[in-house]
Every structure is written in structure tokens, then in C-alpha cells.
Amino acid sequence: MTRNWCSAMPHGVRLAVQITPNAKRTEVVGVHDDVLKLKLQAQPIEGKANEALVRFLADALTLPRSAITITHGHTNKRKLIEVAAPALTPDAVALLLLPA
């Protein structure tokens, strides 16, 4: 059974992401190994990459930054993120985040 990178929760969605810091620009790479891969322009020091990740997701999903919470993997490249938006579905997240 494969795990999906985006799953529904009672109060929103949960995302499994893998980041690559120090990229030339911030962008979504795609889905690989059941995680959403992202490149972040920020450096992985003093939480800058985590801040950039939250800011990027909030902008892409048109939500306030307070709706995005990193629940696991604060110091890891793989992270679990909870998005508090009851009206948001995994299909809507995929449309907003995945490259066409």
C-alpha cells in the first residue's frame, strides 16, 4: 500500500514534503517516493528554510502563515506539515502546488 503525500484530516490536510535548501529559486519539483519535493532558496540554518517553506506554502495555498504548522522534521529534510483549512481537500492542494 502506498502512502499519498497529501491526506485529508478533520481540520484540513497533512502534507509529506522533502526540501532541498540553497536552491537558486523556490519551486515545486514534483512528487517522488510519496513525498512532495520542493527546492527552497533559503539556507538550512537558524530555521530559515522552515520559515521559507511555511511562507511558500501559505502563499501557494492562499492561506495565512498561521494555518501552516510543521509537526515533524524541524531539523530534517523530510517534514510532515498540517494545514488548518477545513475547506481544503487533497485534490485542491494538488491543483495549487503541482506543476502543470
Side-chain angles (χ1 to χ4, degrees), residues 22-75:
N22 286 330
K24 288 187 179 185
R25 63 183 180 151
T26 299
E27 63 184 342
V28 175
V29 177
V31 178
H32 301 284
D33 297 330
D34 298 325
V35 295
L36 179 68
K37 288 196 173 183
L38 298 163
K39 289 183 180 180
L40 296 175
Q41 195 172 11
Q43 295 180 338
I45 47 176
E46 298 176 359
K48 290 180 182 179
N50 287 340
E51 289 172 21
L53 174 63
V54 169
R55 194 169 44 251
F56 173 77
L57 290 174
D59 290 346
L61 300 174
T62 60
L63 294 169
R65 282 188 244 170
S66 60
I68 314 285
T69 306
I70 300 173
T71 58
H72 294 83
H74 288 274
T75 58

